[in-house]
């Protein structure tokens, strides 16, 4: 395999389906060669054991030929999921990288053979290596914190005869409560590092003896450790952070590839979704909170799927199929990311639209109300996503980054996404939370070079997305700018109900005439010829107008063009030009919105 071709730099060429990615993972695994000497990364960590492998691999222009490589396998059945690369970050620490698009959740990295009486389970590869050095026993790393409970349960079911000791650090971070819950769920012992915050820190400060003492002090966790306090759904917790340093460029590429696995959108629309989701983790640092609006021309275009994906990506999600003005401005001080579904059903409320409009910029996001005789100010600056069918009011459309959704064609495939605690996006959330912890100042003080998109507000909408894109280098800033221009080329003003019927009738018109092009006049005549169709009375009791037709077709990016009639023999003057449509412009719309006859289907 030419390692430089594992994934190209151009996002338009990134693999979309899982079936396209796994052969690459398998090929990388077959390339891996076991280390015969202590790897430089291990030596830097102070680990003298010979373990791990190397592989001649380059991913999206990043060279991993000198990195330490470990296969990531499913904790439940041992199948290959991914490959974890560990390299020198250049500042005395290590950086972990994965093959984007392949699974990580439910996966583990194992050190040593799975035999003996005891199995140690921890989070983070350095800690696992330290425990393996101190004990010589098999050790498993769950890679990231949210993965620990699932891996613990799977290993307990897979190796019932082995005693599992779950190992946690002493820091005030999320690893200790998660490890406590994981150990209690199977009645396992919990070992806590006596010093150094983590087991690797303990190894560095107290050596093998300190690690051994910490493991010997492990105790069984009582069943009440399983109890989890239910938080207010309006105040969900933030995700746990990735325990070490992760290659964020590959992780954000991983998120983009996952979006396209479950949703039929252009790669730049997927980049937009991911950058907006990352911006929700920096809500306290940004100046503008643009709406992210998913709008479809009709039903069954992936709106519910998009909501589920965003719920798995954003910081502190709170979704509602309906919402009142009072709900919006009474959200808790630590604002969640609000995902509002069925937006088309209740936008007649001027107060609600006003609150959504007013929350666009931090300076203007304040609403005054009288509460028990006192004037109270409510902060409405927080990130909001809208999901609906049809049109947005112009004021909301002006403050939105619009992602147009279309129904998938019959030959297009997507996978079904299931929202859960440790779904495929869990490692992405952990990475995003780490970025927010490390780069808050960088985003707060990011350069505000405006992007020209026709008006100042459209440029403002992209300000936070460009700020977070700058964390990943110039290539990602270019991706964001490209996405901004593509998505801003057409607004979110989707058509009213009736688009499906219109597309079907337009196909009938072209089929009946056997023509490759029709003037707008002739097309409207055909549409209005059937009195049982709505087109003869579409415009306030009058026939549908060329303007109506153009407006309805605009969301599908179908526009009229100048058509010149063919000359007849002996004609001297040029044929007049008329507005009309080519049949070829409707090819995709016909595939998406025109039902196929049974005899045309593959099952007939």
């Amino acid at each position: 395999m030419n390692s430089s071709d594992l994934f190209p730099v151009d996002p338009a060429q990134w693999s979309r389906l899982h079936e396209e990615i796994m052969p690459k993972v398998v090929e990388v695994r077959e390339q891996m060669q076991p280390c015969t000497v202590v790897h430089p990364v291990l030596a830097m960590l102070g680990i003298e054991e010979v373990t791990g492998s190397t592989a001649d691999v380059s991913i999206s222009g990043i060279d991993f030929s000198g990195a330490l490589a470990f296969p990531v396998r499913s904790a439940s059945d041992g199948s290959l999921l991914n490959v974890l690369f560990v390299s020198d970050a250049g500042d005395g620490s290590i950086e972990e990288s994965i093959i984007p698009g392949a699974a990580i959740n439910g996966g583990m990295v194992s050190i040593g053979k799975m035999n003996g009486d005891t199995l140690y389970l921890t989070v983070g590869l350095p800690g696992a290596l330290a425990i393996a050095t101190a004990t010589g026993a098999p050790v498993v790393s769950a890679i990231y914190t949210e993965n620990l409970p699932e891996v613990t349960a799977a290993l307990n079911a897979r190796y019932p005869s082995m005693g599992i000791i779950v190992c946690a650090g002493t820091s005030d971070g999320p690893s200790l409560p998660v490890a406590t819950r994981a150990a209690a769920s199977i009645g396992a012992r919990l070992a806590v590092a006596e010093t150094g915050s983590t087991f690797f820190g303990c190894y560095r400060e107290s050596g093998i003896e300190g690690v051994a003492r910490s493991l010997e002090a492990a105790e069984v966790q009582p069943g009440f450790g399983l109890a989890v306090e239910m938080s207010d759904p309006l105040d969900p917790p933030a995700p746990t952070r990735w325990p070490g340093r992760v290659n964020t460029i590959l992780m954000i590429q991983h998120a983009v590839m996952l979006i396209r696995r479950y949703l039929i959108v252009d790669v730049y629309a997927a980049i937009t979704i991911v950058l907006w989701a990352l911006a929700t983790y920096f809500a306290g640092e940004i100046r503008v909170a643009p709406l992210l609006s998913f709008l479809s021309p009709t039903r069954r275009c992936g709106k519910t799927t998009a909501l589920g994906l965003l719920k798995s990506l954003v910081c502190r999600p709170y979704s509602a199929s309906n919402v009142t003005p009072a709900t919006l401005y009474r959200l808790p001080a630590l604002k969640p990311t609000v995902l509002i579904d069925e937006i088309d059903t209740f936008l007649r409320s001027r107060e609600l639209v006003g609150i959504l409009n007013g929350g666009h910029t931090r300076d203007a996001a304040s609403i005054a109300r009288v509460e028990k005789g006192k004037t109270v100010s409510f902060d409405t600056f927080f990130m909001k996503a809208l999901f609906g069918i049809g049109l947005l009011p112009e004021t909301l459309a002006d403050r939105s980054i619009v992602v147009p959704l279309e129904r998938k064609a019959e030959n297009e495939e997507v996978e079904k996404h299931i929202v859960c605690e440790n779904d495929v996006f869990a490692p992405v959330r952990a990475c995003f939370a780490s970025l927010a912890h490390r780069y808050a100042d960088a985003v707060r003080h990011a350069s505000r070079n405006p992007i020209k998109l026709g008006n100042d507000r459209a440029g403002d909408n992209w300000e936070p997305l460009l700020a977070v894109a700058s964390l990943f280098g110039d290539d990602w800033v270019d991706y964001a700018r490209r996405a901004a221009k593509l998505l801003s080329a057409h607004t979110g003003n989707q058509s009213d109900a009736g688009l499906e019927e219109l597309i079907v009738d337009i196909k009938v018109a072209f089929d009946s005439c056997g023509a490759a092009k029709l003037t707008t006049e002739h097309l409207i005549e055909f549409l209005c010829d059937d009195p049982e169709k709505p087109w003869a009375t579409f415009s306030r009791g009058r026939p549908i107008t060329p303007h109506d037709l153009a407006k309805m077709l605009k969301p599908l990016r179908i526009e009229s063009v100048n058509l010149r009639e063919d000359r007849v023999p002996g004609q001297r003057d040029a044929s007049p030009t008329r507005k009309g449509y080519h049949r070829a412009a409707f090819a995709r719309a016909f595939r998406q919105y025109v039902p196929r006859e049974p005899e045309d289907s593959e099952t007939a």
Side-chain angles (χ1 to χ4, degrees):
M1 180 185 71
N2 184 351
S3 62
S4 62
D5 293 334
L6 186 60
F7 284 112
V9 177
D10 182 6
Q13 300 179 35
W14 292 345
S15 301
R16 189 176 70 83
L17 297 177
H18 189 250
E19 290 76 10
E20 300 171 354
I21 299 165
M22 280 312 297
K24 299 176 183 289
V25 176
V26 172
E27 202 161 357
V28 171
R29 177 65 185 97
E30 292 174 349
Q31 280 192 35
M32 291 169 57
Q33 298 294 324
C35 293
T36 56
V37 297
V38 176
H39 192 277
V41 169
L42 296 180
M44 180 188 70
L45 295 175
I47 305 294
E48 298 179 357
E49 300 290 332
V50 177
T51 187
S53 305
T54 58
D56 183 17
V57 175
S58 178
I59 306 174
S60 300
I62 304 174
D63 185 15
F64 291 102
S65 57
L68 196 62
F70 296 90
V72 178
R73 298 192 178 277
S74 168
S76 60
D77 60 14
S79 59
L80 181 66
L81 297 179
N82 210 315
V83 175
L84 181 72
F85 298 95
V86 184
S87 54
D88 185 351
D91 58 359
S93 62
I94 64 170
E95 183 178 75
E96 299 174 353
S97 306
I98 55 138
I99 297 178
I104 317 173
N105 58 310
M108 65 178 190
V109 169
S110 58
I111 310 296
K113 295 183 178 180
M114 293 296 181
N115 53 27
D117 299 327
T118 305
L119 171 63
Y120 296 96
L121 177 56
T122 188
V123 176
L125 191 61
L129 291 168
I131 294 171
T133 301
T135 64
V139 184
V140 165
S141 169
I143 308 179
Y144 62 94
T145 307
E146 287 178 297
N147 205 34
L148 185 60
E150 183 174 337
V151 171
T152 301
L155 289 176
N156 183 59
R158 191 174 169 195
Y159 302 104
S161 62
M162 297 183 71
I164 294 179
I165 297 179
V166 181
C167 307
T170 59
S171 67
D172 57 357
S175 63
L176 182 55
V178 173
T180 302
R181 190 170 75 250
S185 68
I186 62 170
R189 288 188 289 167
L190 176 71
V192 180
E194 66 177 22
T195 186
S197 297
T198 65
F199 264 89
F200 180 67
C202 180
Y203 175 79
R204 280 195 159 176
E205 292 186 13
S206 303
I208 291 177
E209 296 78 9
V211 173
R213 286 193 301 270
S214 300
L215 297 176
E216 290 173 0
E219 296 180 349
V220 175
Q221 297 304 298
F224 64 79
L226 284 171
V228 179
E229 293 185 6
M230 297 299 294
S231 60
D232 186 340
L234 285 175
D235 194 19
T240 56
R241 296 200 298 268
W242 192 279
R245 182 167 175 175
V246 63
N247 188 308
T248 55
I249 295 176
L250 292 184
M251 188 59 76
I252 195 171
Q253 178 180 335
H254 177 66
V256 171
M257 293 168 69
L258 289 179
I259 289 289
R260 299 192 70 215
R261 180 188 300 179
Y262 301 107
L263 190 66
I264 297 293
V265 289
D266 176 80
V267 66
Y268 288 100
I271 287 172
T272 301
I273 294 169
V274 172
L275 290 177
W276 188 91
L278 176 55
T280 66
Y281 292 76
F282 293 91
E285 326 303 330
I286 57 179
R287 183 185 67 91
V288 180
L291 298 167
L292 186 67
S293 297
F294 292 84
L295 300 178
S296 60
T298 185
R299 67 192 191 286
R300 292 191 287 115
C301 289
K303 182 169 61 70
T304 302
T305 300
L307 191 151
L309 293 174
L310 209 60
K311 190 173 182 179
S312 293
L313 264 179
V314 300
C315 183
R316 303 162 50 77
Y318 173 69
S319 60
S321 59
N322 204 332
V323 67
T324 64
T327 301
L328 272 186
Y329 60 72
R330 283 186 170 88
L331 288 173
L334 196 56
K335 297 292 190 295
T337 301
V338 181
L339 314 177
I340 307 176
D341 197 9
E342 307 293 347
I343 192 71
D344 46 292
T345 63
F346 57 94
L347 279 179
R348 294 185 182 90
S349 169
R350 293 185 178 181
E351 184 181 8
L352 179 60
V353 173
I355 293 172
L356 293 174
N357 287 338
H360 185 246
T361 59
R362 187 179 296 276
D363 294 341
S366 179
I367 290 182
R369 292 289 185 271
V370 176
E371 298 279 328
K372 297 181 179 180
K374 296 182 179 180
T375 302
V376 180
S377 179
F378 294 96
D379 180 17
T380 59
F381 185 81
F382 48 92
M383 300 293 276
K384 299 170 282 289
L386 310 179
F387 303 81
I389 298 173
L391 295 165
L392 276 180
E394 290 185 5
T395 54
L396 287 182
D398 207 29
R399 292 163 172 80
S400 293
I401 296 173
V402 176
V403 177
L405 298 176
E406 296 181 1
R407 184 177 299 175
K408 70 182 181 71
E410 201 167 285
N411 61 340
E412 292 177 314
E413 297 181 10
V414 291
E415 297 180 27
K416 187 174 181 62
H417 173 247
I418 300 176
V419 181
C420 59
E421 181 181 3
N422 189 33
D423 63 5
V424 293
F425 288 100
V428 179
R429 294 193 300 269
C431 173
F432 283 2
S434 291
L435 286 171
H437 180 70
R438 291 164 51 196
Y439 295 111
D441 287 341
V443 170
R444 185 185 303 115
H445 301 297
S447 174
R448 295 178 181 173
N449 293 329
I451 181 171
K452 296 181 180 179
L453 297 173
N455 63 76
D456 292 341
R457 181 165 284 155
D460 288 344
N461 288 337
W462 284 86
E463 180 184 298
L465 277 68
L466 290 170
V468 297
S470 67
L471 301 177
F472 309 102
D474 293 340
D475 284 345
W476 276 87
V477 173
D478 290 341
Y479 298 161
R481 288 182 171 272
R482 173 70 173 163
K485 292 178 180 178
L486 288 175
L487 292 185
S488 298
H490 53 88
T491 66
N493 293 334
Q494 303 291 331
S495 66
D496 295 327
L499 177 63
E500 290 178 90
E501 187 176 4
L502 175 65
I503 295 298
V504 171
D505 290 344
I506 289 176
K507 185 176 187 300
V508 173
F510 277 106
D511 291 345
S512 299
C513 301
K517 58 185 178 181
L518 283 175
T519 65
T520 303
E521 180 183 357
H522 289 158
L523 180 56
I524 289 178
E525 285 180 2
F526 186 92
L527 292 174
C528 297
D529 190 49
D530 188 343
E532 294 185 1
K533 294 290 185 178
W535 316 120
T537 57
F538 183 84
S539 183
R540 297 181 180 180
R542 296 183 178 183
I544 186 172
T545 66
H547 175 74
D548 294 329
L549 186 62
K551 183 178 179 181
M552 292 188 72
L553 294 175
K554 185 177 180 181
L556 300 181
R557 305 173 209 177
I558 299 174
E559 298 179 353
S560 62
V561 296
N562 291 324
L563 302 179
R564 185 180 294 277
E565 296 182 0
D566 297 332
R567 293 191 182 191
V568 299
Q571 180 180 350
R572 295 183 179 181
D573 298 333
S575 300
T577 57
R578 296 183 179 182
K579 285 288 187 179
Y581 297 88
H582 288 284
R583 180 190 178 103
F586 292 89
R588 181 176 176 85
F590 289 163
R591 292 196 303 269
Q592 292 173 318
Y593 299 105
V594 178
R596 295 182 63 178
E597 296 296 331
E599 59 269 23
D600 293 335
S601 68
E602 296 178 0
T603 58

